Amino acid sequence: MSHSTDSTEGASARPFRRDPYENFSGTVGRTFAESRPAWPERPTPPSGAPNIVVVYLDDMGYSDVGPFGAEVPTPVLDALADRGVRLTNYHTLPLCSPSRAALLTGCNPHRVGYSFVANADPGFPGYGMEIADDIPTLAETLRDAGYATYAVGKWHLSRDSASSAAADRSNWPLQKGFEQYYGVLEGLTNLFHPHQLVRDNSPLDIDEFPEGYYYTDDITDQAVAMVKSLRAHDPDKPFFLYLAHNAVHAPLQAKPEDVERHRGRYDGGWDALREARFARQKAAGLFPEETELPPRNQEYGLDVAAWDDLAPDEQQLYARYMEVYAAMVDNVDQNLGRLVDTLEALGELDNTIVVFTSDNGGSGEGGAEGSRSYFSRFAHHPRLPEDWPADVARDPELIGGPRSLVHYPRGWAMASNTPFRLYKRHTYAGGVRVPFVLSWPRGLHRSPADDGVRHQYQYVTDLAPTLLDLAGVQRPDSHRGSPVQEQDGVSFAPVLTDPAADSAHTEQYCEMTGNRSYYRDGYKLVTLHRPGAPYDDSEWALYDVRADPTEIHDLAPQHPDLVKELSAAWEASAWRNGVFPLQDPSGALALRGPTEEKLGRPLTLLPGTPELERYRSSRLIAFRSFTVTAELDSYAVGDAGVLVSHGDQGGGYSLYVEDGQLRFAYNEYGVLRETDAGPLAPGARTVRLAATAEPGLRWRFALSVDGAERAVSDSVHQLIGMAPMQGISVGVDRKSPVSWPLFERHGVFRYTGALRSVTYDPGAPGPDSPQTVAQALREAAAAFE
């Protein structure tokens, strides 16, 4: 009997229905006896396919580990390098999100949409901060080939505005090929109190961490558990583990026992350290004997003082910063050892490719003096007042612990990047040449004469095609119904096995925040761009990096034709890869798209609401006046606790009731300021905190109860940039507290009374808001023209 309709009217609109037996390779009768079964083929990786582990460090300089000249003990990494390969001429991007996009896709980051870190939305293709479906990630390709895929640690490929519980998760790890994820979506965090941990697709609601918690240990625990679980369930399936540390990005924090091992190690200063590391690098064959060590960085605003010219108290403080940094590197190696031990216990270390590298060079963001107040030092604003607190005095014993958020002075970053010039953010070698170790005992067999050191030029986009090549996995021609875009990287597998093999990567453009470079066959054209300066050929310097790898001798005056040729090549590559428009002083980078306007509406939060995500919280207060209203249904004598908190030890504020008194705590980048608003009488009460934005990036707070003003605080510096790092909590002060003394007295201090709600009312943008500043800059530019 036919079940089709005879009517032709509307036939084209008939709902689609697929034949359930379509493409079945067996046969189907009315019974099992009359049928022949068949099973669909599942993707299976090549026989003997290796596991792949990528250990990705954050802001680690070229010389910060043993195989590249460091004095920091890294015995686990040393052993991997001894039986593996070191790439001495491996290049990356100068900032983290672009580097991560390039590593995971094999494509230049601007064309993927990562011209900058994932904390901007100026409205241009190069700043899309989303990996398109026609650019499959390394994880997607390996997963589709039958690999298990895991990611732990730092992600930073989702825009900050897409990191909340209500966000479109299309660019979160699980939607980009990873089957499990645990870590922090943003670019940095507190290692003792991570501000927002995410498991798979869900932010975790955490009040407090256990005693002795340390994030680097935690993500390693998670990675080890993932591997163990896989092997318990499937003895054969290979895995890809992307272990992306937040270390050694600031704020610098380390466990006390790790810091103690490095006490006194850096008392000799950064000049002596740099020379000692360089000597070890040359002795290890990383550079020819004739290679020169550049003078200390001397560029304006990036310069480094001679260690011997510092006062003794400065030397003592600065050495302490570096002890913490070294302890972080030490701890990473310890945790790498736990992972390696797990692989060895499972009998899989020999057939595991382990890659160890960094996303960019060491960071000079700590300034000339470093800081014990990282978020205020890290603040970027064209109108920072002269009294801005870029550093906050601290008890030296707190440096590196949970109560201080520190960064080292750029003299140590210079030493981290030995033997190169400049830092993270720059296209000079200090920003883009990083350590690279690859170990695969079963697959890479070195001859006795091969020391494993490779000097060929390679680029971060080469890593994905190389790993696919080594695993025997083909990149697909199509993905999610679309043809895939070509990769920019090329496999360097031949270089790994043959020290004499030529690199297939012969040309490469680079750009970051206006700093530009172009590499071709041993010559490098590069700029150190000054904001506001024109983008013209006068910026270019030219180096023969085969003879002058440390970029000391500028050849531009002798070779103007080559400068012109490479400059034109950079321009063509920039257009081809979506680099334009370049950044300028207009303030456009600070602006956000119209979809964010709703984030500035009033918001009411009920008790029990999980902590509001950092960026979502910041839109309620940043650069503006605002009010916070807490409604108490019936305050009773003895009720106590936090009504609302926002922030942590790096900066924040909290409103709380203790011993019957209403109090306000303001953590001004580490300086705690407290205001007593007097007693609360029993009954229903409306408590209001009103912040008024004043010129000079300042706030003044007024506290009132039932409409009657109780107290007015002194004028304080606004919390801007990444502060407050921890989001808004109602009825509790979670994780890292705003007030450490209050935390010592009461812990998270959950409110015990009847709190009905907390409402935020964002006011008008203040006189120093990005919108106001950008408008002023545009008007000034128009007047100038």
Side-chain angles (χ1 to χ4, degrees), residues 72-291:
V72 182
T74 54
V76 178
L77 185 61
D78 295 351
L80 293 174
D82 286 346
R83 59 176 176 259
V85 170
R86 283 176 284 175
L87 301 186
T88 68
N89 200 9
Y90 174 82
H91 290 66
T92 182
L93 277 298
L95 279 179
C96 48
S97 298
S99 297
R100 291 158 204 276
L103 185 150
L104 287 173
T105 66
C107 299
N108 290 326
H110 296 83
R111 59 181 277 241
V112 183
Y114 291 87
S115 296
F116 192 58
V117 291
N119 299 83
D121 186 18
F124 297 100
Y127 295 84
M129 309 298 174
E130 294 180 358
I131 302 173
D133 286 346
D134 59 0
I135 302 179
T137 68
L138 177 61
E140 287 174 306
T141 300
L142 289 172
R143 180 200 60 196
D144 293 348
Y147 269 70
T149 53
Y150 307 126
V152 297
K154 174 173 172 173
W155 182 239
H156 212 196
L157 290 172
S158 301
R159 197 192 311 275
D160 49 13
S161 57
S163 298
S164 76
D168 173 4
R169 290 161 165 78
S170 59
N171 221 56
W172 286 27
L174 264 62
Q175 284 63 249
K176 290 302 165 188
F178 292 102
E179 294 165 323
Q180 292 185 46
Y181 171 69
Y182 179 87
V184 172
L185 293 177
E186 290 205 275
L188 58 97
T189 198
N190 183 317
L191 299 189
F192 291 106
H193 302 102
H195 68 290
Q196 180 62 84
L197 286 171
V198 171
R199 185 181 295 281
D200 299 333
N201 270 335
S202 300
L204 299 180
D205 191 20
I206 297 171
D207 276 3
E208 54 188 326
F209 292 98
E211 188 73 24
Y213 176 91
Y214 189 64
Y215 175 77
T216 306
D217 297 341
D218 184 15
I219 61 172
T220 304
D221 289 342
Q222 299 293 328
V224 167
M226 291 172 184
V227 172
K228 287 180 176 179
S229 178
L230 173 67
R231 278 299 162 262
H233 292 89
D234 189 322
D236 304 316
K237 190 174 189 176
F239 64 85
F240 168 43
L241 170 62
Y242 177 61
L243 175 48
H245 286 284
N246 286 75
V248 288
H249 195 296
L252 307 183
Q253 295 175 306
K255 297 193 294 186
E257 60 269 30
D258 291 332
V259 176
E260 193 59 38
R261 282 194 294 277
H262 299 275
R263 282 280 186 260
R265 189 187 294 274
Y266 299 100
D267 291 353
W270 46 62
D271 292 324
L273 180 68
R274 190 166 173 248
E275 291 173 0
R277 288 186 173 186
F278 188 47
R280 284 191 290 269
Q281 289 171 339
K282 290 198 289 188
L286 305 187
F287 298 97
E289 189 59 38
E290 63 271 17
T291 304

Side-chain angles (χ1 to χ4, degrees), residues 392 394 403 648-649 652-654 656 664-675 716 737-743 745:
V392 171
R394 291 277 194 177
R403 295 179 61 182
D648 51 28
Q649 284 292 284
Y653 57 91
S654 67
Y656 63 96
F664 173 62
Y666 188 78
N667 188 322
E668 189 179 16
Y669 298 109
V671 175
L672 185 63
R673 306 186 185 280
E674 298 193 80
T675 303
V716 293
V738 171
S739 167
W740 197 269
L742 188 66
F743 171 75
R745 294 195 298 270

Side-chain angles (χ1 to χ4, degrees), residues 504-572:
H505 202 127
T506 57
E507 294 191 48
Q508 182 62 48
Y509 87 93
C510 188
E511 185 277 333
M512 196 58 53
T513 62
N515 294 308
R516 300 172 287 159
S517 72
Y518 198 86
Y519 171 86
R520 177 186 284 170
D521 292 330
Y523 282 96
K524 180 179 175 182
L525 196 66
V526 63
T527 71
L528 176 61
H529 181 70
R530 293 295 179 183
Y535 290 103
D536 59 31
D537 283 354
S538 66
E539 285 195 312
W540 293 115
L542 177 69
Y543 301 97
D544 179 351
V545 291
R546 295 162 299 189
D548 180 22
T550 51
E551 300 170 349
I552 298 174
H553 304 291
D554 180 9
L555 304 178
Q558 295 98 296
H559 298 283
D561 291 344
L562 184 55
V563 171
K564 188 174 181 180
E565 175 187 331
L566 296 182
S567 174
W570 183 91
E571 191 82 5

